[in-house]
Amino acid sequence: METESKHKIRCENLWKVFGQDSHRFMANWDTYKQMNKVQRLKRTRCVVGTREATFNVERGEIYCLMGLSGSGKSTLLRCINRLFEPTAGKVFIDDIDVTALSSTDLRNLRCKMIGMVFQNFALLPHRRLIRNATLGLEIQGMNKTKREKRAREALALVGLEGWEKSYPHELSGGMQQRVGLARALATDPEILLMDEAFSALDPLIRRQMQDEFVKLIKKVNKTIVFVTHDLNEALRIAGHIAVMKDGAIVQQGTPSEIVLKPKTDYVAEFVKDLPKIKFITAADIMEPPDKWVVKPTASINQIIKTMNANQLRFVFVVDDNQRIANVIDYYQLTRNNHDYLDKPVGKQGLFCDYPIPRACQTTFLEQLIEEGAKSKVPTTIQDDIGRLVGIVSREKLLLAITMA
């Protein structure tokens, strides 16, 4: 039985070259790649929109294409749904080769699977909000009663219930952008392509929209490709980021990887002024839990030897599923227990009553510091079903703070 690919979107070696002799241009790329855009245009009459772009977007994640104006991010976005026809390379959605679809099949794919939200809202000024939100459903041929019901639900989802009969000019910029998002959501697409969707908004409204957008996407479970020139916006909303320059992806990774491990001087310049404490996660600094872990069947003598060998004050008693049962303090363990050294610790009740700090791998350093301050015990990193996967000691916390 075939398993469903975790990748909703795959782009492989995508090129978009604007110009009449684009394929010859690509064939001679080694000759032109050291030139700037003006020199290439003068020499070849071609402009590189995007080149050699390869990336994957997992189901349900927000993936950001980020870069300065002219870096190729909007061109790359439009290649995904073939609003721009790729010059070379492949785009796959659910393992369907989008670049090989006929015009009819492509139109059906766009109608049923892909929604798009634009920077300039792209609302029809002569239509009330309800009819703006039904546009995609009209194109699909849905009857009026059903499409208006779906449009009302989408408008309510973005916080515009009661505004259905208003016109776009009666709304603020933030509200107009919500209508654009509602229009895209009304068709219930699996994928949303968003091109600088919040960049036209005032800073305060933009931040509010970012927060609301992240909450909304968790509810509707869409796969998002989001274009932005704002690094802070990308870091706030994205699961993965691709940084673009001159049409190429120069680095991609999680927000913490982009900030903490820049691979080029270009990316390093982007992130140099960011407070790294906001991006270091538990996964970045945690240690394997092995040396901190003992079984309930271990004797007191065995545990003392383990703690001495690893210079530990605390160890955790875990069950067979790697879930924490208790924590042991070295000083309490070695105090007045000479008669019980060879007996299992699980039957002795020699557990301290310090609170055990808990976090997950995506917890940021700021919160780890807060958790770590509540107890003398090292912070335990647990997965979503409570299994111990790592330890962040106080020493590691201090080292991370100095590095940040």
Side-chain angles (χ1 to χ4, degrees), residues 340-356:
Y340 306 100
L341 291 179
D342 294 322
K343 294 185 178 181
V345 70
K347 296 183 178 180
Q348 305 303 313
L350 301 171
F351 308 124
C352 65
D353 56 1
Y354 292 128
I356 302 175

Side-chain angles (χ1 to χ4, degrees), residues 298-302 304 333-334 337-344:
S299 70
I300 294 173
N301 196 38
Q302 289 172 329
I304 290 173
L333 189 65
T334 55
N337 285 314
H338 302 296
D339 296 334
Y340 306 100
L341 291 179
D342 294 322
K343 294 185 178 181

Side-chain angles (χ1 to χ4, degrees), residues 134-150:
T134 61
L135 182 61
L137 300 171
E138 288 180 49
I139 294 171
Q140 289 183 4
M142 185 179 290
N143 69 60
K144 183 177 179 181
T145 301
K146 286 186 68 175
R147 70 180 182 242
E148 288 196 354
K149 180 177 182 294
R150 289 268 289 272

Side-chain angles (χ1 to χ4, degrees), residues 292 307 310-315 328-331 354 376:
W292 276 277
M307 297 176 84
N310 293 295
Q311 298 183 318
L312 300 176
R313 176 174 172 180
F314 297 99
V315 291
I328 295 174
D329 183 345
Y330 180 85
Y331 297 124
Y354 292 128
K376 297 179 180 179

Side-chain angles (χ1 to χ4, degrees), residues 5 22 25 92 104 108 112 129 154 158 174 213 247 292 318 357 370:
S5 171
S22 56
F25 174 88
F92 296 92
T104 300
N108 289 335
K112 296 177 181 178
L129 300 197
V158 299
F213 172 69
W292 276 277
V318 300
E370 291 180 17

Side-chain angles (χ1 to χ4, degrees), residues 79-95:
C79 285
I80 293 173
N81 63 353
R82 281 177 58 190
L83 285 181
F84 286 161
E85 196 68 43
T87 308
K90 297 285 188 180
V91 178
F92 296 92
I93 293 177
D94 286 342
D95 295 326

Side-chain angles (χ1 to χ4, degrees), residues 33-69:
K33 65 182 179 182
Q34 301 302 326
M35 300 178 183
N36 62 39
K37 288 183 179 181
V38 176
Q39 290 170 329
R40 286 190 210 122
L41 179 61
K42 187 175 180 180
R43 177 86 173 268
T44 68
R45 298 183 179 274
C46 288
V47 174
V48 177
T50 190
R51 60 182 173 87
E52 304 169 306
T54 297
F55 65 97
N56 300 319
V57 183
E58 295 186 12
R59 296 175 185 277
E61 83 162 323
I62 302 176
Y63 189 99
C64 275
L65 300 174
M66 197 220 77
L68 298 177
S69 178

Side-chain angles (χ1 to χ4, degrees), residues 2 129 159 191-192 223 228 249 285 297 323 336 352 357 362 372:
E2 290 187 9
L129 300 197
I191 295 168
L192 279 179
T223 301
T228 180
I249 295 174
I285 62 173
T297 53
R323 292 186 177 91
N336 302 322
C352 65
T362 56

